[in-house]
Amino acid sequence: MEATSSGITNGKTKAFHPEGGVDLQGYQLDMQILPDGPKSDVDFSEILNAIQEMAKDVNILFDELEAVNSPCKDDDSLLHPGNLTSTSDDASRLEAGGETMREKNKSNGLYFRDGKCRIDYILVYRKSNPQTEKREVFERNIRAEGLQMEKESSVINSDIIFVKLHAPWEVLGRYAEQMNVRMPFRRKIYYLPRRYKFMSRIDKQISRFRRWLPKKPMRLDKETLPDLEENDCYTAPFSQQRIHHFIIHNKDTFFNNATRSRIVHHILQRIKYEEGKNKIGLNRLLTNGSYEAAFPLHEGSYRSKNSIRTHGAENHRHLLYECWASWGVWYKYQPLDLVRRYFGEKIGLYFAWLGWYTGMLFPAAFIGLFVFLYGVMTLDHCQVSKEVCQATDIIMCPVCDKYCPFMRLSDSCVYAKVTHLFDNGATVFFAVFMAVWATVFLEFWKRRRAVIAYDWDLIDWEEEEEEIRPQFEAKYSKKERMNPISGKPEPYQAFADKCSRLIVSASGIFFMICVVIAAVFGIVIYRVVTVSTFAAFKWALIRNNSQVATTGTAVCINFCIIMLLNVLYEKVALLLTNLEQPRTESEWENSFTLKMFLFQFVNLNSSTFYIAFFLGRFTGHPGAYLRLINRWRLEECHPSGCLIDLCMQMGIIMVLKQTWNNFMELGYPLIQNWWTRRKVRQEHGPERKISFPQWERDYNLQPMNAYGLFDEYLEMILQFGFTTIFVAAFPLAPLLALLNNIIEIRLDAYKFVTQWRRPLASRAKDIGIWYGILEGIGILSVITNAFVIAITSDFIPRLVYAYKYGPCAGQGEAGQKCMVGYVNASLSVFRISDFENRSEPESDGSEFSGTPLKYCRYRDYRDPPHSLVPYGYTLQFWHVLAARLAFIIVFEHLVFCIKHLISYLIPDLPKDLRDRMRREKYLIQEMMYEAELERLQKERKERKKNGKAHHNEWP
């Protein structure tokens, strides 16, 4: 506690001191002198007597703190205080409000008919389903485990039966101990370090100055939303033997709703429904259709007639909607503790990662926008674009066979200016910055994850031994071996069988990648054929911009192919993953995730790789063009370069894909839920909607994706690839990603709170396999950006010209004045009479000068037709090629060294967090010792009072 606070006194003074100590009956417990090391470093013989005298007062103080402070953050008593059983000894007040409370509980649809037992889980089945015997055995065993059950038929369909399950305190306690559920047992007390008076005065002056500054608008208002206040607690695995150590105000709310549902789900996964070793678990009953659905309930409606600022939140769902899923709070931080409390740690970690990624995009978007604006500001001073716009006397060769006309170089003035916006002097700096940014993002995310794991009690959490998948058991049930962890026999997959399945799966992956390459090849043929068609088009607008029209339509067609192939890839990845027969669900999930990422990454980026590194690189030269199947001439770049095609590809794909994903994530569930409500209104009238209980309202919502958070992660990881891999060609990619993610966070929040059934709260320590994929993308981005700058852009040719061939050659300068004559030096001369018959254009170019043209220009470094070796490579070509290779090597090594240096310098665990963890471990040991000491002393006094024999045990 940072603020000083006086305790409740019973004739004795107990007060907090900002210097770092607590007075207990005159004793000064100075936490600064307590060592951080193990207990062996402390001389307990000297302080044992003092601890024994202090133990009682310490526990009294903690009890009084619990009384005056609000409940811990994991306590559901934060909401609806009128619904909670009072911890006071005033029995008359309990009896007076009990009847009203039960009636209210009955009406809200969250309790059994008696209004006392809270519904922890819902099972849904149809009476017409033939699996009656399995359900009866399963439900009989549910009752044998101690769970209470109640059934209700649907309001609109009597064939649908809802099974309501409630876990009593005894069942919760027994399984919470088995599952090592961590629960609060002491409130954290923060001691401020001792400070000198001078430093204290400075702090006071700074605090006074801060009062005049505006409050941070992005922080959630804890004064108007008191339910957001958090109180940290020390936690420990729940133990029924040490139940007196834990903070229990009310047994009904000690385990929050998410924890209760998780415990019930854990029980249901271990209940048999038939005789036999493998006839066990709820998942199998859902698979064979015995039950139609299984889900925990939402905590009431997410809307309220009353304002949350005046009347408070009705429930956690309402609170999440108002301070997280509402569009009015799009600029505020996410209440991650509330998300974790309602949806569990796994979903909370996803939103924590998404928020961190979005926050880290701010500097990247700002620098990218600066690079773009730098190109805008320097556009009028760019010598290259000036020369292109003024080159009215330079006639370029046709870019396709027959139908494409000759064109002036000045006709591509607009494209040259647009290219300068993305390909300017700041591009290289931005590419280096983004490579370093990707490393910093991942390293700081590890630190952020460590803090979250500490706050959410995930540091010491280990994933329990997973159950074997039913499919694996059915396939390999005949061959067994001992599990080295549990010591029990389990099905075993032979090594030869596993290798053969992996080989078949890898062959399937290779085949699907070949399908992607074939689709890209089809797009290439489309571009080659269409550019001639658009060049002969009747409309002048399309005829004069045939290359841009070709690129635009090709990108749109490519996007449609991408979306169609994604559907196919999902089915193929599912088939191949099931063919591998993974042993556990996590192995299945990791295998499926890796396949889907590979398929979608190749599918999404293959055409982009083609445009960046192959378009216009292998076309040959006029008179000796390279052709596909000896028929179609390969496509050339625009006279202003290929970068404009890459920018169009990335911009269109990124915008269309993000728009489509957002529609599918929110629009599709909205339409489905609207259609369900519409059918109900048509069949039963609109007035029946009001009488729906909570379990039926939740049943009519959409279930969460069968693959969990896979689609959410995949969308963001693919976006991360777009943001980093080709960012040198499209500096606005981080800005587009930032704008999308600001919307994405609220869309996902709205979807989870309002459109989906409540998912089961599950635990996780990190984002899993996705972190390794992010690291791989970060490494790939360094390589691709090096090649984009060296090969796709004109940065290296301009640099070589400025230092070797331009007016400033040998002077060590590279300004705009050194680029005079660059455009002419980068173009080669071709004699029109050397055209092939099938390439010769229909026009002779007389419209430019009144006489047929004899020569035209094209982008390349080749000798003129009258040289000793016509159309051979010039010395400048080899200089440019050597400079490109040297740049790639230097850029990659430099950036990789910077990345590794940053990774080494940034520790995975913040120092203050490490100290807090060591301090907490020490204090927990002390508190547990003191609590145990107090219990033993009480037992000794009771034995003495009762006159029973007493042995000399410790202490």
Side-chain angles (χ1 to χ4, degrees):
M1 297 179 186
E2 297 183 359
T4 58
S5 172
S6 60
I8 302 174
T9 59
N10 293 321
K12 302 175 184 177
T13 302
K14 304 179 182 66
F16 290 103
H17 290 274
E19 291 83 0
V22 181
D23 284 336
L24 299 174
Q25 279 188 322
Y27 294 100
Q28 176 74 16
L29 177 60
D30 192 344
M31 304 309 295
Q32 299 304 312
I33 65 173
L34 290 177
D36 286 337
K39 281 190 174 184
S40 59
D41 296 339
V42 183
D43 188 2
F44 280 102
S45 62
E46 296 180 1
I47 63 172
L48 180 58
N49 295 330
I51 290 180
Q52 290 176 350
E53 294 178 14
M54 293 160 53
K56 183 175 181 179
D57 288 330
V58 169
N59 286 280
I60 291 172
L61 172 62
F62 278 124
D63 292 339
E64 290 170 353
L65 287 173
E66 291 161 11
V68 299
N69 283 292
S70 58
C72 184
K73 64 183 177 183
D74 284 330
D75 193 351
D76 280 4
S77 59
L78 281 170
L79 301 170
H80 256 332
N83 284 353
L84 302 178
T85 305
S86 174
T87 57
S88 173
D89 295 331
D90 191 352
S92 60
R93 186 173 56 183
L94 284 172
E95 294 173 0
E99 204 60 39
T100 306
M101 191 188 306
R102 292 192 194 101
E103 293 299 323
K104 189 173 183 180
N105 290 341
K106 288 180 185 179
S107 63
N108 61 21
L110 300 175
Y111 289 80
F112 278 17
R113 298 188 191 98
D114 59 6
K116 297 179 181 179
C117 300
R118 188 178 186 91
I119 300 173
D120 297 322
Y121 212 79
I122 291 290
L123 302 177
V124 185
Y125 69 90
R126 292 181 181 270
K127 288 192 291 186
S128 57
N129 189 288
Q131 306 282 355
T132 307
E133 186 177 350
K134 293 180 181 178
R135 282 197 305 271
E136 289 178 352
V137 174
F138 187 70
E139 291 171 4
R140 187 163 58 247
N141 292 333
I142 287 177
R143 294 189 183 94
E145 285 292 332
L147 296 179
Q148 297 178 11
M149 184 187 302
E150 194 174 77
K151 293 187 178 182
E152 294 273 358
S153 60
S154 171
V155 175
I156 60 175
N157 187 351
S158 59
D159 188 45
I160 298 176
I161 303 298
F162 295 94
V163 181
K164 300 177 286 185
L165 300 178
H166 168 76
W169 168 257
E170 294 76 14
V171 177
L172 291 172
R174 183 171 71 250
Y175 278 95
E177 187 170 359
Q178 292 180 15
M179 297 168 63
N180 288 323
V181 177
R182 299 183 69 89
M183 300 304 294
F185 73 94
R186 281 292 183 268
R187 249 174 256 305
K188 291 182 181 178
I189 303 178
Y190 297 101
Y191 296 91
L192 295 179
R194 295 182 182 273
R195 294 186 179 181
Y196 295 103
K197 292 183 179 180
F198 176 73
M199 296 301 296
S200 301
R201 290 174 183 173
I202 292 178
D203 288 342
K204 288 181 181 179
Q205 295 298 328
I206 292 175
S207 356
R208 288 179 183 175
F209 175 72
R210 284 178 178 172
R211 293 175 187 172
W212 296 95
L213 297 176
K215 294 182 179 180
K216 294 182 179 179
M218 292 184 293
R219 291 193 181 276
L220 294 167
D221 191 354
K222 295 184 179 181
E223 294 179 359
T224 55
L225 297 176
D227 292 331
L228 295 179
E229 294 181 2
E230 299 167 8
N231 293 289
D232 294 331
C233 299
Y234 293 121
T235 62
F238 182 77
S239 171
Q240 289 183 315
Q241 293 181 349
R242 297 185 175 183
I243 196 171
H244 53 279
H245 292 174
F246 295 90
I247 304 173
I248 304 180
H249 296 289
N250 185 347
K251 288 184 177 181
D252 293 336
T253 59
F254 178 62
F255 296 103
N256 63 28
N257 295 330
T259 304
R260 296 174 67 99
S261 300
R262 185 155 57 91
I263 293 173
V264 173
H265 181 80
H266 176 86
I267 297 172
L268 296 177
Q269 291 297 96
R270 287 154 178 79
I271 293 180
K272 285 190 173 184
Y273 59 87
E274 267 184 2
E275 290 300 326
K277 186 173 65 174
N278 300 327
K279 309 297 185 179
I280 185 173
L282 175 63
N283 284 347
R284 289 183 173 87
L285 291 176
L286 290 171
T287 303
N288 63 31
S290 298
Y291 287 101
E292 193 170 290
F295 53 89
L297 283 181
H298 278 297
E299 299 180 9
S301 175
Y302 63 89
R303 294 185 183 275
S304 175
K305 298 179 180 178
N306 303 318
S307 171
I308 191 174
R309 298 184 179 277
T310 57
H311 292 75
E314 295 289 334
N315 50 64
H316 283 154
R317 190 185 185 193
H318 179 216
L319 182 61
L320 278 172
Y321 178 78
E322 292 291 340
C323 68
W324 182 48
S326 175
W327 291 106
V329 294
W330 65 269
Y331 60 93
K332 290 186 177 293
Y333 293 133
Q334 299 183 86
L336 293 177
D337 286 318
L338 286 177
V339 177
R340 172 242 183 175
R341 181 169 60 188
Y342 194 81
F343 292 110
E345 285 80 2
K346 193 170 186 177
I347 293 176
L349 271 172
Y350 163 71
F351 281 103
W353 176 83
L354 180 57
W356 184 257
Y357 171 45
T358 304
M360 289 293 290
L361 279 173
F362 273 96
F366 176 77
I367 300 296
L369 183 61
F370 171 78
V371 171
F372 179 79
L373 294 178
Y374 174 80
V376 174
M377 291 184 292
T378 59
L379 185 60
D380 295 334
H381 306 287
C382 178
Q383 181 64 31
V384 176
S385 58
K386 281 182 181 179
E387 290 186 1
V388 170
C389 294
Q390 295 171 2
T392 55
D393 56 339
I394 297 179
I395 308 300
M396 302 297 294
C397 298
V399 295
C400 66
D401 293 336
K402 292 186 179 181
Y403 300 109
C404 291
F406 295 99
M407 60 180 294
R408 288 188 175 92
L409 180 60
S410 58
D411 293 342
S412 60
C413 176
V414 175
Y415 304 113
K417 290 182 177 181
V418 173
T419 300
H420 176 74
L421 300 179
F422 302 101
D423 184 14
N424 51 63
T427 303
V428 178
F429 160 74
F430 186 58
V432 175
F433 170 81
M434 286 303 297
V436 174
W437 173 86
T439 302
V440 172
F441 161 65
L442 293 177
E443 291 301 319
F444 275 95
W445 163 247
K446 284 195 283 190
R447 293 166 61 88
R448 173 63 176 159
R449 188 205 65 81
V451 174
I452 292 174
Y454 170 77
D455 291 338
W456 292 356
D457 295 320
L458 299 173
I459 293 291
D460 299 324
W461 178 77
E462 292 295 337
E463 203 164 343
E464 61 185 20
E465 179 69 13
E466 287 191 85
E467 293 183 356
I468 298 175
R469 297 177 65 242
Q471 296 85 345
F472 185 88
E473 284 183 336
K475 181 71 176 177
Y476 301 103
S477 58
K478 295 181 180 180
K479 190 172 183 179
E480 293 184 344
R481 73 171 182 180
M482 297 297 291
N483 186 308
I485 298 175
S486 63
K488 298 178 181 178
E490 66 177 17
Y492 168 67
Q493 183 182 17
F495 180 76
D497 180 74
K498 186 175 184 178
C499 286
S500 61
R501 290 177 179 276
L502 288 176
I503 290 172
V504 173
S505 178
S507 302
I509 294 173
F510 178 75
F511 173 76
M512 293 309 298
I513 292 177
C514 291
V515 172
V516 176
I517 296 174
V520 174
F521 186 74
I523 294 295
V524 171
I525 294 178
Y526 168 82
R527 294 171 68 105
V528 169
V529 174
T530 310
V531 68
S532 300
T533 305
F534 283 150
F537 213 74
K538 295 181 180 180
W539 295 349
L541 178 63
I542 296 179
R543 185 171 63 249
N544 296 334
N545 299 277
S546 58
Q547 282 189 300
V548 177
T550 300
T551 301
T553 55
V555 171
C556 294
I557 293 174
N558 185 34
F559 174 76
C560 295
I561 293 176
I562 287 172
M563 302 311 296
L564 290 175
L565 287 179
N566 281 346
V567 179
L568 174 64
Y569 292 156
E570 183 176 345
K571 298 184 181 300
V572 172
L574 194 62
L575 176 66
L576 294 178
T577 306
N578 289 332
L579 179 66
E580 291 178 9
Q581 290 290 350
R583 178 176 169 274
T584 62
E585 287 296 335
S586 63
E587 291 177 7
W588 187 96
E589 184 178 340
N590 288 341
S591 178
F592 179 76
T593 297
L594 187 59
K595 290 181 183 62
M596 280 296 292
F597 171 75
L598 285 175
F599 288 158
Q600 296 219 19
F601 180 81
V602 174
N603 187 28
L604 192 63
N605 293 285
S606 55
S607 57
T608 310
F609 271 90
Y610 164 74
I611 293 174
F613 304 127
F614 297 99
L615 178 63
R617 310 296 169 199
F618 309 101
T619 57
H621 63 87
Y625 288 119
L626 297 178
R627 298 179 180 273
L628 285 175
I629 322 175
N630 198 28
R631 180 178 179 182
W632 293 300
R633 170 181 161 186
L634 290 175
E635 187 181 5
E636 291 186 40
C637 290
H638 197 272
S640 59
C642 291
L643 200 67
I644 187 67
D645 295 306
L646 184 58
C647 291
M648 288 182 62
Q649 172 80 13
M650 290 190 62
I652 294 176
I653 291 293
M654 197 169 183
V655 171
L656 287 179
K657 183 155 181 55
Q658 291 182 161
T659 304
W660 174 259
N661 286 338
N662 290 336
F663 169 75
M664 290 301 294
E665 284 187 4
L666 183 62
Y668 185 67
L670 276 173
I671 292 173
Q672 284 188 314
N673 291 333
W674 170 81
W675 183 255
T676 302
R677 292 193 299 268
R678 183 175 179 273
K679 288 199 301 183
V680 171
R681 285 196 299 266
Q682 288 180 346
E683 294 177 5
H684 303 277
E687 68 279 357
R688 298 297 296 273
K689 179 183 176 182
I690 303 174
S691 61
F692 281 174
Q694 186 63 42
W695 53 82
E696 191 146 1
R697 289 200 297 266
D698 286 5
Y699 176 70
N700 291 328
L701 296 177
Q702 298 303 308
M704 188 178 176
N705 192 304
Y707 308 128
L709 293 168
F710 170 79
D711 287 339
E712 279 71 24
Y713 272 119
L714 181 64
E715 178 187 354
M716 290 295 103
I717 299 300
L718 292 175
Q719 185 206 82
F720 180 79
F722 255 95
T723 306
T724 54
I725 292 178
F726 293 104
V727 73
F730 192 58
L732 293 179
L735 179 61
L736 293 179
L738 174 63
L739 297 176
N740 174 79
N741 286 7
I742 292 174
I743 300 173
E744 179 77 21
I745 290 175
R746 304 305 162 180
L747 278 180
D748 284 348
Y750 185 82
K751 176 177 61 180
F752 271 95
V753 174
T754 68
Q755 300 303 309
W756 278 1
R757 295 173 190 163
R758 186 177 183 176
L760 181 71
S762 55
R763 307 198 85 190
K765 292 183 70 172
D766 50 34
I767 61 175
I769 194 176
W770 296 109
Y771 185 83
I773 293 174
L774 287 170
E775 285 187 324
I777 292 176
I779 294 172
L780 180 62
S781 67
V782 177
I783 301 172
T784 53
N785 281 306
F787 275 87
V788 166
I789 295 172
I791 295 176
T792 310
S793 75
D794 288 337
F795 175 76
I796 299 299
R798 292 175 187 175
L799 211 60
V800 171
Y801 178 81
Y803 284 103
K804 184 67 178 176
Y805 297 96
C808 305
Q811 299 179 15
E813 297 181 13
Q816 290 297 326
K817 63 178 182 179
C818 301
M819 298 303 298
V820 176
Y822 167 76
V823 172
N824 186 61
S826 63
L827 298 176
S828 300
V829 179
F830 177 74
R831 188 166 47 207
I832 294 177
S833 58
D834 293 338
F835 265 126
E836 299 171 298
N837 290 333
R838 52 183 173 179
S839 298
E840 188 173 358
E842 293 181 344
S843 171
D844 58 1
S846 57
E847 64 270 16
F848 295 102
S849 59
T851 58
L853 294 175
K854 295 182 179 180
Y855 299 97
C856 63
R857 309 293 293 274
Y858 61 98
R859 282 174 57 92
D860 210 342
Y861 296 100
R862 292 183 180 270
D863 291 323
H866 50 74
S867 61
L868 295 176
V869 183
Y871 309 118
Y873 287 117
T874 63
L875 183 62
Q876 188 175 356
F877 169 82
W878 299 110
H879 284 163
V880 170
L881 180 61
R884 281 174 167 166
L885 295 177
F887 175 83
I888 291 172
I889 295 172
V890 172
F891 182 88
E892 287 182 355
H893 283 70
L894 175 64
V895 174
F896 277 130
C897 286
I898 295 174
K899 285 169 69 72
H900 284 93
L901 179 63
I902 291 175
S903 179
Y904 173 77
L905 293 177
I906 300 176
D908 295 345
L909 203 64
K911 183 180 182 303
D912 60 338
L913 177 60
R914 188 184 298 111
D915 293 341
R916 285 166 59 194
M917 290 169 61
R918 294 175 62 191
R919 170 73 67 185
E920 177 175 332
K921 186 176 181 180
Y922 176 79
L923 292 179
I924 287 176
Q925 292 173 350
E926 292 299 314
M927 290 176 183
M928 296 292 284
Y929 170 75
E930 291 164 1
E932 194 68 20
L933 182 64
E934 181 189 12
R935 185 180 66 84
L936 292 174
Q937 288 175 341
K938 286 182 179 179
E939 290 180 358
R940 177 183 294 178
K941 290 179 180 179
E942 288 178 1
R943 284 196 295 267
K944 286 183 178 180
K945 186 177 180 180
N946 297 332
K948 292 185 179 181
H950 169 61
H951 297 287
N952 293 325
E953 76 278 5
W954 170 260

